[in-house]
């Protein structure tokens, strides 16, 4: 079993790598509405980058001990990990769904508002998801420490 502290460090690096593109998407989606449709092409480009990075990020996480072994090592975390793993495909599906209609052309103000709201919701879901992964690793770390102390007597 890998040390939980190693999993935490790897996760911090992976989440930091995503932070730049998430910040780009957040900044672009918050452009003033009076820009008309000028904000859409850069936003779509940033969303494409986010989708690409998330796909690779989720694959790496799912291949790591975080999703392959932590639930076995700490059974009380298994349900949460399974739920979070399911969110990976949900978020990627949401991204694809947001990109498809937006890529059809210049949105009217109503669809532009919907795009903004949907992207904000996706970013909020991603932040919550990452925070819960971090919380799970912290809980496992403390359980691991507690077990080590109980063996030390």
């Amino acid at each position: 079993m890998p040390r939980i502290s190693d999993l935490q460090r790897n996760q911090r690096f992976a989440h930091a790598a995503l932070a730049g593109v998430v910040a780009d998407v957040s900044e672009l989606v918050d452009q003033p509405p009076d820009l008309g449709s000028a904000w859409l092409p850069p936003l779509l480009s940033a969303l494409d980058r986010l989708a690409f990075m998330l796909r690779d990020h989720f694959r790496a996480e799912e291949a790591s001990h975080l999703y392959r072994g932590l639930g076995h090592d700490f059974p009380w975390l298994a349900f949460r990990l399974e739920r979070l793993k399911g969110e990976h495909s949900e978020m990627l599906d949401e991204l694809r769904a947001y990109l498809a209609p937006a890529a059809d052309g210049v949105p009217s103000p109503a669809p532009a508002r919907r795009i903004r709201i949907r992207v904000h919701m996706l970013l909020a879901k991603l932040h919550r998801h990452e925070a819960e992964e971090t919380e799970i690793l912290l809980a496992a770390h403390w359980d691991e420490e507690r077990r080590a102390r109980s063996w030390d007597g």
Side-chain angles (χ1 to χ4, degrees), residues 1 3 6 24 28-29 34 38 40 42 59 79 104 126 131 136 152:
M1 171 173 80
R3 289 178 43 110
D6 293 336
D24 290 346
L28 287 165
V29 80
D34 60 349
L40 188 60
R59 280 184 187 156
F79 175 78
D104 289 341
L126 178 60
I136 285 170
D152 291 341

Side-chain angles (χ1 to χ4, degrees), residues 19-30:
V21 73
V22 168
D24 290 346
V25 168
S26 186
E27 183 178 322
L28 287 165
V29 80
D30 285 334

Side-chain angles (χ1 to χ4, degrees), residues 38-79:
W39 62 275
L40 188 60
L43 176 62
L44 291 175
S45 176
L47 287 171
D48 277 336
R49 284 193 320 274
L50 179 61
F52 177 79
M53 290 183 73
L54 279 178
R55 188 187 69 236
D56 288 349
H57 172 74
F58 291 155
R59 280 184 187 156
E61 275 187 343
E62 290 174 14
S64 76
H65 191 73
L66 172 63
Y67 283 96
R68 288 196 173 258
L70 202 64
H72 179 266
D73 299 336
F74 302 92
W76 54 278
L77 295 172
F79 175 78

Side-chain angles (χ1 to χ4, degrees), residues 17-153:
L18 285 173
V21 73
V22 168
D24 290 346
V25 168
S26 186
E27 183 178 322
L28 287 165
V29 80
D30 285 334
Q31 293 294 316
D34 60 349
L35 288 179
S37 63
W39 62 275
L40 188 60
L43 176 62
L44 291 175
S45 176
L47 287 171
D48 277 336
R49 284 193 320 274
L50 179 61
F52 177 79
M53 290 183 73
L54 279 178
R55 188 187 69 236
D56 288 349
H57 172 74
F58 291 155
R59 280 184 187 156
E61 275 187 343
E62 290 174 14
S64 76
H65 191 73
L66 172 63
Y67 283 96
R68 288 196 173 258
L70 202 64
H72 179 266
D73 299 336
F74 302 92
W76 54 278
L77 295 172
F79 175 78
R80 290 175 69 190
L81 287 163
E82 279 302 310
R83 182 179 47 75
L84 287 172
K85 185 177 178 183
E87 288 181 1
H88 291 171
S89 60
E90 289 172 14
M91 283 188 273
L92 291 173
D93 288 347
E94 285 176 40
L95 262 173
R96 282 189 286 275
Y98 303 162
L99 287 169
D104 289 341
V106 177
S108 68
R113 279 193 298 277
R114 278 196 296 269
I115 291 168
R116 284 188 164 102
I117 291 167
R118 287 175 158 185
V119 171
H120 277 293
M121 290 173 64
L122 175 69
L123 294 178
K125 184 176 187 175
L126 178 60
H127 287 297
R128 186 213 34 86
H129 177 92
E130 290 182 348
E132 190 169 356
E133 286 175 341
T134 299
E135 180 185 309
I136 285 170
L137 284 171
L138 286 170
H141 176 77
W142 285 113
D143 196 335
E144 183 179 67
E145 290 293 317
R146 182 188 55 78
R147 290 177 189 181
R149 280 194 304 272
S150 70
W151 283 102
D152 291 341

